[in-house]
Amino acid sequence: MPEGDWRSILSSGAAALGIALESGHLAAFEAYRREILEWNQRINLTAITGDEEIAVKHFVDSIACLKAAEIPPRARLVDVGSGAGFPGIPLAILRPDLDLWLLDATRKKVEFLRHVTAALGIAAHTVWARAEDAGQRKDLRERFDVATARAVAPLGILAEYCLPLCRVGGRVLAMKGRYASAEVGAAMRAVRLLGGRVESVYEYELPFGAGTRAIPVIVKDKPTPRAYPRNAGTPAKKPL
């Protein structure tokens, strides 16, 4: 990772994806970076703390979702297992029209998400819940145009977390590493059972040799059977 002005690294990394950042975007990312580093001293948000690495491995990586699939104007987007807010908050910085929902099972992380979105002026909803429980809630089940998730679970398990939250016609953007193709093959049965199909896999290189990434895009063709998601903990223990 090169040393230098992290804003220039962020801008050039975004440009490599075909995304132009304006001064207002950079100011928001700067404020977001400061909040992450301050809160990271109190709770475990991220092991990546260098400015340049945050710019590339968190910010650039997150906004790659905008190239993986078309996200409609004013889309209702839920970020599952949001943690420090990736990819949801970077997406909202570039797309303030999104109806953003940030879902996490850890109370302290939800407190951070609530704080940082208020500090950045992002009108986001925060939900403290397990994804399995959220997927059975009447106010959340099949209510979203897009579900995103990054570094949460293998794709078959992730499908059970995310597809119940998506409306028919909605999409799951599952952020993965270089071995995404193997995960896609292993997850096909689960994806079909849950009402989805793998529409495409967007592959890209993070700049400055930071690695190969891929985003399998799952489209939901029919409602998810009521039995799914199963009880909290079951998808991970007994994958479909």
Side-chain angles (χ1 to χ4, degrees):
M1 191 69 60
E3 294 185 359
D5 179 39
W6 73 271
R7 298 167 194 79
S8 297
I9 291 171
L10 173 57
S11 293
S12 61
L17 292 173
I19 297 172
L21 299 184
E22 300 173 358
S23 58
H25 298 142
L26 293 173
F29 279 117
E30 162 66 10
Y32 186 21
R33 181 192 66 85
R34 288 198 306 266
E35 294 288 354
I36 291 170
L37 294 178
E38 179 181 339
W39 277 67
N40 207 49
Q41 297 176 34
R42 307 197 298 272
I43 65 174
N44 181 26
L45 289 174
T46 177
I48 296 172
T49 56
D51 290 347
E52 295 81 10
E53 283 194 305
I54 288 174
V56 173
K57 295 182 179 180
H58 284 331
F59 296 164
V60 174
D61 192 35
S62 291
I63 64 178
C65 287
L66 296 174
K67 308 299 291 187
E70 182 179 356
I71 299 177
R74 298 177 297 281
R76 199 178 199 207
L77 184 150
V78 59
D79 189 19
V80 176
S82 192
F86 306 123
I89 292 176
L91 292 176
I93 289 173
L94 268 64
R95 288 283 305 275
D97 62 295
L98 295 176
D99 181 7
L100 178 66
W101 294 66
L102 302 171
L103 171 67
D104 202 275
T106 302
R107 180 178 57 82
K108 290 184 178 179
K109 290 180 179 178
V110 172
E111 289 175 357
F112 168 75
L113 294 171
R114 188 174 297 125
H115 166 82
V116 74
T117 51
L120 296 175
I122 293 172
H125 307 269
T126 54
V127 181
W128 175 30
R130 294 282 296 254
E132 302 98 318
D133 297 330
Q136 290 290 359
R137 281 175 44 172
K138 291 182 180 180
D139 61 327
L140 299 176
R141 184 179 179 87
E142 301 196 324
R143 295 297 183 92
F144 294 92
D145 302 297
V146 180
T148 59
R150 181 174 181 259
V152 172
L155 188 59
I157 298 171
L158 193 64
E160 189 169 357
Y161 293 160
C162 293
L163 276 170
L165 294 165
C166 287
R167 64 171 179 81
V168 173
R171 285 170 172 76
V172 176
L173 307 184
M175 305 190 70
K176 293 292 179 180
R178 65 171 65 244
Y179 302 112
S181 58
E183 287 197 42
V184 168
M188 284 295 191
R189 177 182 177 276
V191 169
R192 287 195 297 268
L193 179 62
L194 295 161
R197 61 181 165 84
V198 177
E199 181 180 53
S200 60
V201 179
Y202 174 66
E203 297 182 348
Y204 58 103
E205 293 285 336
L206 285 177
F208 310 113
T212 302
R213 298 288 189 272
I215 304 177
V217 179
I218 302 171
V219 63
K220 185 165 177 174
D221 289 326
K222 56 185 179 181
T224 300
R226 286 297 317 178
Y228 304 104
R230 293 166 291 168
N231 291 337
T234 303
K237 293 177 182 176
K238 298 179 179 179
L240 296 173

